[in-house]
Amino acid sequence: QLQPVESGGGLVQPGGSLRLSCASSGFTLDYYNIGWFRQAPGKEREGVSFISDNGSNTHYANSGKGRFTISRDNANNTVYLQMDDLKAEDTGVYYCAASNFFTSSRNRYGYWGQGAQVTVSS
């Protein structure tokens, strides 16, 4: 079974950058559309950015437009989320998820990672 695994989270100061990675144990990510979601304390999980299986299509939520970049390296079975100019409101647990559909709808993602904590604080 596909099991996404996130890495790259941590503590960063406002204005700083982080790059999250999503790999998989078991099945390859190549056949799946990938979404990054995040959940702040006390809030619902929300979509951040999405990429199609071959990388030709991407989509960003308003929260990350102009600051976040999603990409994938299918040769290395990895999807990335580059986050620049981070703000305190970007703090949360970031999840990588896989879907058979290119969609921002959380309910269409059947495979989820355990999450990576991102904390933006001075």
Side-chain angles (χ1 to χ4, degrees), residues 12-18 67-68 83-88 90 120:
V12 63
Q13 292 186 343
S17 298
L18 279 176
R67 301 187 299 123
F68 294 178
M83 303 186 294
D84 298 317
D85 190 25
L86 283 161
K87 307 175 187 301
D90 295 317
V120 184

Side-chain angles (χ1 to χ4, degrees), residues 94-121:
Y94 283 68
Y95 298 90
C96 170
S99 173
N100 291 319
F101 307 96
F102 179 59
T103 178
S104 60
S105 175
R106 185 179 64 189
N107 294 335
R108 304 303 292 270
Y109 285 81
Y111 305 96
W112 291 83
Q114 294 299 306
Q117 177 69 46
V118 171
T119 302
V120 184
S121 176

